[in-house]
Amino acid sequence: MITQQVLLRDAMRRLDMTRDAFADRIGSRRRALDSWLLPDESNEFRAMPEVARRFVQEILANAAPRVEVATQSVYPSDNPLVPGAPLRHLLSVDQFSRETAEDLFRLADVMQPIARRQKVTRVLEGAVLANLFFEASTRTRVSFGAAFCRLGGSVCDTTGFTFSSMAKGESIHDTSRVIAGYADAIVVRHPEQGAVAEFARATNVPVVNGGDGPGEHPTQALLDLYTIQREFSRLGKRVDGAHIALVGDLKYGRTVHSLIKLLALYKGVRFTLIAPPSLEMPGSIVDRVSRNGNVVEVRDSLASLADADIVYATRIQKERFAEESIEGYGAAFEINRALVDRVCKPDVVVMHPLPRDSRSGSHDLSADLDGDPRLAIFRQTDNGIPVRMAIFASLLGVDKLVQRSMRDAAWTPPVHIGPEDSVLD
């Protein structure tokens, strides 16, 4: 049985409706719909009447059929994958259409009870993940490992070049081929752009890009878009026609490179790019996203955040600098509570891929916003688990098994993962 939250979110996505419009469509009050979408453990949760469930299913059955779009291979010489076929590797957001990304998000919705520690599954029991992080990481590495473990698999970790055979001169091809003999899936983070694709070419074991230098970070972009959709669902907004502001290091910030490409799959999006001249978004990416009626504006002041629906801040990637200077990146670029109160809309959502630099003088996203419901950074990281679970389930072909394999967790999970969660739950 599909949970009512998954059924309702799927219906709103497929019909492209806000909560207000969907409530009108099914003849319900918005407040009732909100209570049906809450987590089961919430005090405000209400079970949806069976007549309402049947009506929603009937609406979906009579809706215009979706046009299936094949996921495209990242290799130009390859033929497109067969429509509906599982992913082979996940290396770039270029592999996704709007439809296939939203298919993944529907599966992530199914994973939510497991991510929230209410349910457990063992669909990947016996499978092994190799987490190969040749660049420093804590959150992403643990997030991938936790997602794999929550599906019943086990994880082998390695971190840094110093502790790998590549420090002895072993090629990427040899490393990938050897690890493929040990593991059933491989996640790679590498400081060189394109290196993860080399890993994928050497093996038939699924390879996931955990970040390749200044190139891409596709799973971060997917969880960011998933977060935006969930936040907009709560606020009665749509991604189509939204105003998205990206602030900070847009030249080396691989998270924004991937995210803006995904957001460009939607229509009528207004992008405001705010960065010092030396750290502007690459021109090739700007040219690419100006489609579907999308508009790209380049600005140098945070005053441009005035009507933004999403403010997405990024850390300055000093470790990737060549000859760039950050003299122009001062207090005028810092996003803090005073700025958000003074400039932004009351329902703005503030995001950041983390880690944020909390040291004095860094002018990164300020910690004085902690506890503010407009700050979504921890909801972002929490969403990384169900999204990465959905990715692993798709890559390893168990996506259809998860729903019926769930059982109640034997332990008592926390009511709220963090102290700030209760505000929105």
Side-chain angles (χ1 to χ4, degrees), residues 15-158:
L15 299 173
D16 195 21
M17 288 183 173
T18 64
R19 287 195 188 192
D20 287 328
F22 186 71
D24 288 342
R25 178 69 178 84
I26 64 175
S28 167
R29 293 184 178 181
R30 165 65 190 269
R31 184 177 179 81
L33 176 61
D34 287 345
S35 71
W36 299 342
L37 285 163
L38 287 169
D40 294 356
E41 74 278 10
S42 170
N43 291 333
E44 301 296 325
F45 168 79
R46 296 291 181 271
M48 179 170 56
E50 184 59 30
V51 64
R53 174 185 283 272
R54 289 199 298 268
F55 186 39
V56 171
Q57 291 172 330
E58 181 181 335
I59 291 172
L60 287 175
N62 294 328
R66 293 172 61 246
V67 177
E68 295 292 340
V69 180
T71 299
Q72 301 294 311
S73 168
V74 296
Y75 306 118
S77 59
D78 287 353
N79 291 324
L81 296 177
V82 176
L87 291 168
R88 181 183 170 207
H89 303 294
L90 203 172
L91 307 179
S92 169
V93 295
D94 292 344
Q95 293 173 258
F96 290 89
S97 66
R98 174 171 174 167
E99 290 78 11
T100 54
E102 294 189 346
D103 283 343
L104 184 75
F105 298 157
R106 276 186 280 276
L107 182 55
D109 283 343
V110 172
M111 302 294 183
Q112 282 286 357
I114 306 173
R116 285 177 170 266
R117 301 113 188 247
Q118 300 158 0
K119 301 286 184 179
V120 295
T121 181
R122 303 295 296 172
V123 290
L124 288 187
E125 186 172 14
V128 176
L129 171 69
N131 248 354
L132 307 184
F133 277 68
F134 301 106
E135 189 176 53
S137 170
T138 301
R139 295 162 305 95
T140 304
R141 178 172 54 82
V142 173
S143 177
F144 274 115
F148 205 81
C149 288
R150 293 209 181 277
L151 290 170
S154 56
V155 181
C156 296
D157 274 320
T158 184

Side-chain angles (χ1 to χ4, degrees), residues 295-315:
V295 175
V296 180
E297 302 171 344
V298 178
R299 298 286 184 264
D300 59 4
S301 167
L302 295 182
S304 304
L305 303 179
D307 62 345
D309 298 297
I310 298 288
V311 174
Y312 191 101
T314 62
R315 177 180 64 87

Side-chain angles (χ1 to χ4, degrees), residues 223-231 351 376 379-380 383:
L223 75 88
D224 287 342
L225 178 54
Y226 181 67
T227 299
I228 290 171
Q229 287 203 347
R230 288 178 71 85
E231 295 293 314
M351 300 173 65
R379 300 193 291 277
Q380 246 177 297
N383 284 332

Side-chain angles (χ1 to χ4, degrees), residues 233-284:
S233 175
R234 174 175 61 83
L235 296 169
K237 297 183 179 182
R238 298 167 53 190
V239 180
D240 290 317
H243 179 192
I244 313 290
L246 306 177
V247 183
D249 185 349
L250 307 185
K251 179 176 183 179
Y252 291 113
R254 58 192 171 200
T255 58
V256 290
H257 295 171
S258 295
L259 178 59
I260 195 171
K261 291 177 185 177
L262 277 181
L263 286 166
L265 297 174
Y266 292 78
K267 298 178 180 179
V269 180
R270 175 184 165 198
F271 296 104
T272 298
L273 310 181
I274 304 173
S278 61
L279 299 177
E280 290 180 348
M281 183 76 73
S284 58

Side-chain angles (χ1 to χ4, degrees), residues 132-376:
L132 307 184
F133 277 68
F134 301 106
E135 189 176 53
S137 170
T138 301
R139 295 162 305 95
T140 304
R141 178 172 54 82
V142 173
S143 177
F144 274 115
F148 205 81
C149 288
R150 293 209 181 277
L151 290 170
S154 56
V155 181
C156 296
D157 274 320
T158 184
T159 306
F161 276 109
T162 306
F163 304 102
S164 78
S165 294
M166 294 178 74
K168 304 172 185 176
E170 184 175 59
S171 68
I172 286 178
H173 177 280
D174 287 2
T175 299
S176 179
R177 177 59 186 84
V178 169
I179 297 300
Y182 305 154
D184 303 288
I186 303 172
V187 174
V188 183
R189 170 169 286 190
H190 199 282
E192 295 179 13
Q193 186 172 346
V196 181
E198 287 189 51
F199 271 90
R201 281 191 284 269
T203 178
N204 288 324
V205 171
V207 173
V208 179
N209 185 354
D212 62 335
E216 282 204 52
H217 197 344
T219 65
Q220 178 70 48
L222 287 164
L223 75 88
D224 287 342
L225 178 54
Y226 181 67
T227 299
I228 290 171
Q229 287 203 347
R230 288 178 71 85
E231 295 293 314
F232 277 8
S233 175
R234 174 175 61 83
L235 296 169
K237 297 183 179 182
R238 298 167 53 190
V239 180
D240 290 317
H243 179 192
I244 313 290
L246 306 177
V247 183
D249 185 349
L250 307 185
K251 179 176 183 179
Y252 291 113
R254 58 192 171 200
T255 58
V256 290
H257 295 171
S258 295
L259 178 59
I260 195 171
K261 291 177 185 177
L262 277 181
L263 286 166
L265 297 174
Y266 292 78
K267 298 178 180 179
V269 180
R270 175 184 165 198
F271 296 104
T272 298
L273 310 181
I274 304 173
S278 61
L279 299 177
E280 290 180 348
M281 183 76 73
S284 58
I285 297 179
V286 174
D287 292 341
R288 171 177 171 166
V289 301
S290 300
R291 61 179 65 165
N292 283 343
N294 298 328
V295 175
V296 180
E297 302 171 344
V298 178
R299 298 286 184 264
D300 59 4
S301 167
L302 295 182
S304 304
L305 303 179
D307 62 345
D309 298 297
I310 298 288
V311 174
Y312 191 101
T314 62
R315 177 180 64 87
I316 299 298
Q317 310 279 308
K318 298 177 184 177
E319 66 274 18
R320 306 194 195 285
F321 281 17
E323 299 176 354
E324 293 87 353
S325 167
I326 58 170
E327 293 177 0
Y329 199 90
F333 282 88
E334 181 176 320
I335 296 174
N336 52 38
R337 185 185 292 269
L339 173 82
V340 173
D341 287 342
R342 185 179 73 254
V343 175
C344 298
K345 298 193 295 188
D347 62 352
V348 69
V349 177
V350 180
M351 300 173 65
H352 190 296
L354 299 183
R356 54 177 166 172
D357 190 340
S358 299
R359 292 170 294 186
S360 177
S362 68
H363 305 303
D364 202 346
L365 178 64
S366 175
D368 70 359
L369 277 163
D370 289 1
D372 190 313
R374 295 171 294 185
L375 186 72

